[in-house]
Amino acid sequence: MEERSRCLIFDPFAGISGDMILGALVDLGIKATAVRVKTLESEVVRHLKDVLEIIDAAEVDEKAREWAREAFSKLADVEGGIHGISPDKVHFHDVGADDAIVDIVGACAGISHLGIE
């Protein structure tokens, strides 16, 4: 029998937050409506290399790590293009905060764990 690939469709017609994505992914396996990430950090500004170092140290599978790296790299490319600077020079403000990194890496890990391609 041919193995089928699995896909996941998000239809956030009015927008979606990181905790809503994580809650939805967790709910696919066990009941949950949201995931809340609490950190002790104050405001932080990171560059792409800083975020990639955090992702590389995350205890997630390689596919999740690859997707998260790709997501942040694309964000840096777009942001750099808007401001006319190199992606390496982009300052990640809110999206570089711990909770945003957890949201993105967690979503990638959840999708990988569920076998979504």
Side-chain angles (χ1 to χ4, degrees):
M1 180 181 252
E2 186 177 322
E3 184 176 322
R4 294 180 181 202
S5 60
R6 300 175 78 183
C7 96
L8 176 66
I9 299 172
F10 278 103
D11 186 17
F13 65 90
I16 192 165
S17 65
D19 65 332
M20 292 167 69
I21 292 171
L22 287 176
L25 290 169
V26 171
D27 191 42
L28 288 172
I30 60 174
K31 287 291 180 198
T33 56
V35 173
R36 289 184 180 77
V37 177
K38 293 184 178 187
T39 65
L40 299 176
E41 72 176 11
S42 58
E43 289 188 33
V44 63
V45 176
R46 292 186 170 113
H47 291 89
L48 178 60
K49 74 173 189 63
D50 303 318
V51 173
L52 297 180
E53 287 173 3
I54 292 168
I55 293 169
D56 288 342
E59 294 183 26
V60 296
D61 66 51
E62 190 55 41
K63 193 65 173 171
R65 191 174 290 112
E66 175 187 328
W67 288 338
R69 290 177 61 85
E70 186 177 322
F72 278 100
S73 294
K74 285 182 180 180
L75 285 169
D77 286 343
V78 171
E79 186 79 13
I82 290 169
H83 296 289
I85 61 174
S86 161
D88 295 338
K89 302 280 187 211
V90 169
H91 292 128
F92 285 132
H93 296 274
D94 292 338
V95 80
D98 288 347
D99 62 330
I101 295 170
V102 170
D103 286 343
I104 292 172
V105 173
C108 292
I111 292 167
S112 177
H113 177 75
L114 292 168
I116 307 298
E117 297 177 11

